[in-house]
Amino acid sequence: MKTGRTLTEMAQALEAQQQMKKDYVADTRVLEMTPAGQLAISNDTTQTFDVTSHAHRQIGDRIGIPAKYYNRMLTRAPELLQANVNHWFQTNPEQRMIRTLGESARAFLSRRYRRLDNFDLAEAVLPTLLQMEGAQVMSCELTETRMYLKVVTAKVQADVKVGDPVQAGVCISNSEIGLGSLRIEPLIYRLVCANGMVTPDRSARNRFTHLGRAAADTPDAYELFSDKTLEADNAAFFLKMQDLVRDAVDRTKFEALVAQMRATTEHRIEGNPVKAVELLSNKFKLQQSESSGVLQHLIQGGDLSQWGLLNAVTRTAQDVESYDRATELEELGATVMSLPSAQWKQLATAV
């Protein structure tokens, strides 16, 4: 499992961000894209922010400019981009929420976006996580797009095979800038190689969208603060998070996952392992370096089974530079574990 920051470093980063955050709601008619690709918010005074690549994508998506063309204008014809964006800001006016961090506009969102922030989430769930018997924070990170907390308990453990133990854990992730929901998902930690496998829970019960009450509709721009109603709503929401964290490491659920993992040890790769990895890479759009890593770890692991393949995928997660991508590969391990029999057969018999 990719380790990321220490818990102390994570707390310091969250605290620092909390001091730098400001959110605004503005009518697009008081917004302006500058020739330098910055976003100006005008009211009594004008504030100008650099725009992150993510926020640029959101602006382009919202006003209907294809990403490839938007980026081409941004780098090669900034005045043309300025004219396009400002035209549509004025022609199709609407209220938008602009989330800023320091001098950067980091998100361009609906005014109904519910602010479930990383600092508040960590403050609510960390005490519950650390109260779990045998709990250990194995990995945590704060990337440009998401926060991650990955905690394992040594008190919920079983062998997939003799001498191959796994432990139960939970992965909590959240995006403050509109890149997906807040998620609480079971995590499996393999001791022999420190691999982590996030098992996505697709049910609505463990995923929470950032959809809330619309901010006030005005022709102006104003800074958005947390009102008392929002604070009360979020307090109740985070209490529910604590219950779901406990549920994620439930022994019954863990044993069901272990049974599924044990079954994969019986599913052999009967054909060419190189072809199996090639098909897997094509199906899930792995980069060349990732595909090579999966094949290397599969061969080094010496286990030509579905269990060996999924662990080759999660082991490769430790090698990639991006923590976000590493987590995606940890989720892909669970996808490999759950492949329908026909799809697994196709991989396993490839020649």
Side-chain angles (χ1 to χ4, degrees):
M1 182 187 301
K2 200 170 186 67
T3 54
R5 305 176 195 239
T6 67
L7 190 56
T8 299
E9 291 169 342
M10 179 77 148
Q12 291 170 343
L14 288 171
E15 181 69 35
Q17 281 199 354
Q18 194 69 6
Q19 304 302 318
M20 297 169 63
K21 293 176 184 175
K22 287 187 178 180
D23 298 322
Y24 300 87
V25 169
D27 188 292
T28 55
R29 287 170 292 191
V30 300
L31 300 179
E32 182 182 0
M33 179 73 70
T34 73
Q38 296 175 305
L39 186 66
I41 305 175
S42 299
N43 199 356
D44 296 331
T45 60
T46 298
Q47 299 181 77
T48 302
F49 297 93
D50 296 329
V51 182
T52 66
S53 58
H54 174 71
H56 271 303
R57 284 196 298 273
Q58 290 176 321
I59 292 170
D61 288 344
R62 190 62 188 170
I63 63 179
I65 300 177
K68 187 174 181 179
Y69 182 53
Y70 187 104
N71 291 335
R72 185 180 180 189
M73 288 191 289
L74 180 62
T75 56
R76 298 174 61 181
E79 292 183 354
L80 180 59
L81 177 64
Q82 177 192 25
N84 271 270
V85 171
N86 291 339
H87 172 81
W88 295 114
F89 276 173
Q90 296 296 321
T91 303
N92 295 327
E94 61 175 340
Q95 301 280 314
R96 301 296 289 174
M97 182 186 298
I98 299 97
R99 307 209 75 181
T100 72
L101 184 66
E103 297 180 351
S104 295
R106 57 185 181 137
F108 185 77
L109 301 160
S110 164
R111 67 189 177 100
R112 293 190 63 195
Y113 187 82
R114 183 178 185 180
R115 295 171 295 157
L116 299 171
D117 282 352
N118 296 331
F119 183 90
D120 299 326
L121 175 60
E123 190 175 54
V125 302
L126 267 174
T128 301
L129 289 168
L130 298 178
Q131 286 168 9
M132 292 190 305
E133 190 177 6
Q136 183 178 359
V137 178
M138 303 303 297
S139 179
C140 55
E141 187 57 279
L142 185 63
T143 72
E144 290 185 2
T145 57
R146 295 191 75 84
M147 178 187 76
Y148 301 88
L149 292 168
K150 298 176 183 178
V151 178
V152 170
T153 172
K155 294 298 182 180
V156 184
Q157 179 173 316
D159 282 356
V160 176
K161 300 190 296 184
V162 175
D164 195 352
V166 294
Q167 294 176 344
V170 59
C171 174
I172 301 170
S173 61
N174 182 51
S175 174
E176 296 183 334
I177 58 173
L179 267 178
S181 56
L182 187 162
R183 305 192 316 232
I184 298 175
E185 298 167 314
L187 171 71
I188 298 296
Y189 183 69
R190 188 185 185 208
L191 273 66
V192 297
C193 57
N195 281 2
M197 182 175 71
V198 179
T199 57
D201 189 332
R202 305 300 181 188
S203 68
R205 182 171 181 267
N206 291 66
R207 289 172 175 254
F208 304 89
T209 61
H210 292 254
L211 183 63
R213 296 178 292 112
D217 189 354
T218 78
D220 302 312
Y222 61 94
E223 188 174 345
L224 196 60
F225 298 97
S226 291
D227 59 39
K228 294 299 181 183
T229 302
L230 179 61
E231 290 175 356
D233 286 348
N234 284 354
F237 177 84
F238 287 128
L239 282 175
K240 183 178 181 181
M241 295 298 96
Q242 295 171 0
D243 291 335
L244 291 173
V245 166
R246 298 184 189 97
D247 186 60
V249 293
D250 175 74
R251 183 172 289 276
T252 301
K253 288 186 175 182
F254 173 70
E255 289 175 350
L257 285 171
V258 170
Q260 193 174 358
M261 287 184 280
R262 286 172 179 160
T264 65
T265 67
E266 304 298 325
H267 302 159
R268 308 302 301 174
I269 297 176
E270 300 167 357
N272 186 335
V274 176
K275 285 294 184 181
V277 172
E278 184 180 314
L279 286 178
L280 179 78
S281 300
N282 291 338
K283 180 175 180 58
F284 296 105
K285 297 180 173 58
L286 299 187
Q287 297 177 12
Q288 180 58 50
S289 60
E290 295 168 349
S291 180
S292 298
V294 171
L295 180 60
Q296 176 186 346
H297 293 305
L298 177 64
I299 301 304
Q300 288 178 346
D303 182 357
L304 298 182
S305 68
Q306 190 172 6
W307 174 242
L309 182 58
L310 75 87
N311 278 294
V313 172
T314 56
R315 173 60 184 84
T316 301
Q318 299 183 41
D319 302 330
V320 300
E321 182 176 351
S322 164
Y323 193 98
D324 295 304
R325 182 56 179 165
T327 302
E328 289 173 357
L329 291 174
E330 290 169 1
E331 293 175 348
L332 178 57
T335 300
V336 173
M337 178 181 71
S338 304
L339 283 174
S341 57
Q343 291 185 21
W344 169 250
K345 185 176 181 180
Q346 184 181 23
L347 289 178
T349 59
V351 292

